[in-house]
Amino acid sequence: PPVRVTGSPTNATTGYRAAVLGHSPTSYYRFDETEPLQLAADSAGTNNGTYQPAATLGGAGVTSDNDTGVSGNGTGPVMIAPSSAAPTGSSSRTVETWFKFGTGQGPQTLIDYGSGCCTHNTDFTLSAGGYGATWLNTGGWSGVPIGGSHSNILFTGYSDDRMWSTTINLNDGAWHHLAVVYDSAAVTITPYLDGTGLGANGAASSTAYDAPNLNTTASSVEVGGAGKVSNDMYQGGSAGGYGDGPLTGKIDEVAFYPSVLSSTDVSND
């Protein structure tokens, strides 16, 4: 597999795409279309997505093979894929993406699927950015979403939400790689940011749950935003929520795997 350097995957023409497909993803989106009426091609199968009004196509992507990415304007998802695009229920999985934020931005939603309400761990939402907050374990955060260099990764599962803090500045205008691995046998969820593991399970939103027993509902898969905001108290800055809104930046190379990728696999993608 290719060796990844800071900021972008190398040898993308034969290496990066081949490495992703070598892990047998359920779906894989490179966003190399140029017209919004085109389908977002699934390079791994038939789970083609539909571009949304918030998307701008044709900008430079993360790879060096002239493949493009997609930009979001902060008003909603950039792409919606069918429910078959992502693993659901309690199954093991890995969700992977590259993203680039501008400077001074607050937290943003990268991937969102599941019910959004109202049963334990039926949602699967990944957000990143500046939160500047920690759980009180009494039903809320001790702070509010902020921009700047404060960086966190947030998983929202509904009634079992987890945060990982990192010293990596996600608002530096550079590409960053995120892979989140759920191991159903070990009952752990572990994010890897720019190839570095942030630890299993993170800071939990409730002391009632010792482990993240996922039970993700099948739904459409939204990239770059949470279209089901009205059904999810945690999205879009609604009352009592975290304020993580749709993507204002770029996203590329989104892949969903029905398996647990190892730390070596993640580092080599």
Side-chain angles (χ1 to χ4, degrees), residues 199-227:
N201 295 344
S205 61
S206 172
T207 55
Y209 305 112
D210 294 328
N213 294 285
L214 299 194
N215 187 30
T216 314
T217 304
S219 78
S220 58
V221 178
E222 298 172 349
V223 174

Side-chain angles (χ1 to χ4, degrees), residues 173-197:
W175 284 103
H176 294 280
H177 179 256
L178 176 64
V180 175
V181 180
Y182 176 65
D183 187 333
S184 61
V187 198
T188 58
I189 186 165
T190 306
Y192 293 84
L193 183 61
D194 292 343
T196 299

Side-chain angles (χ1 to χ4, degrees), residues 7 14 18 33 47 66 85 96-97 108 116 139 150 176 210 214-215 254 257:
T14 59
E33 290 77 23
N47 293 301
N66 295 319
E96 178 179 43
T97 185
Q108 302 178 53
H150 300 269
H176 294 280
D210 294 328
L214 299 194
N215 187 30
V254 172
Y257 306 88

Side-chain angles (χ1 to χ4, degrees), residues 94-149:
T94 301
V95 178
E96 178 179 43
T97 185
W98 288 81
F99 63 92
K100 179 194 286 190
F101 296 161
T103 58
Q105 294 179 344
Q108 302 178 53
T109 302
L110 300 173
I111 307 292
D112 183 32
Y113 70 103
S115 69
C117 184
C118 295
T119 304
H120 174 60
N121 262 340
T122 53
D123 197 20
F124 191 100
T125 302
L126 299 179
S127 305
Y131 290 87
T134 56
W135 273 110
L136 294 173
N137 285 327
T138 56
W141 294 101
S142 64
V144 294
I146 56 177
S149 61

Side-chain angles (χ1 to χ4, degrees), residues 114-118 123 158 226-235 238:
S115 69
C117 184
C118 295
D123 197 20
Y158 194 85
K228 64 175 187 291
V229 56
S230 61
N231 293 323
D232 191 340
M233 66 177 290
Y234 301 122
Q235 297 300 323
S238 54

Side-chain angles (χ1 to χ4, degrees), residues 27-29 33 38-51 79-85:
S27 60
Y28 173 33
Y29 303 95
E33 290 77 23
Q38 292 178 289
L39 294 176
D42 172 14
S43 296
T46 59
N47 293 301
N48 298 328
T50 304
Y51 287 110
M79 189 272 283
I80 296 179
S83 59
S84 53

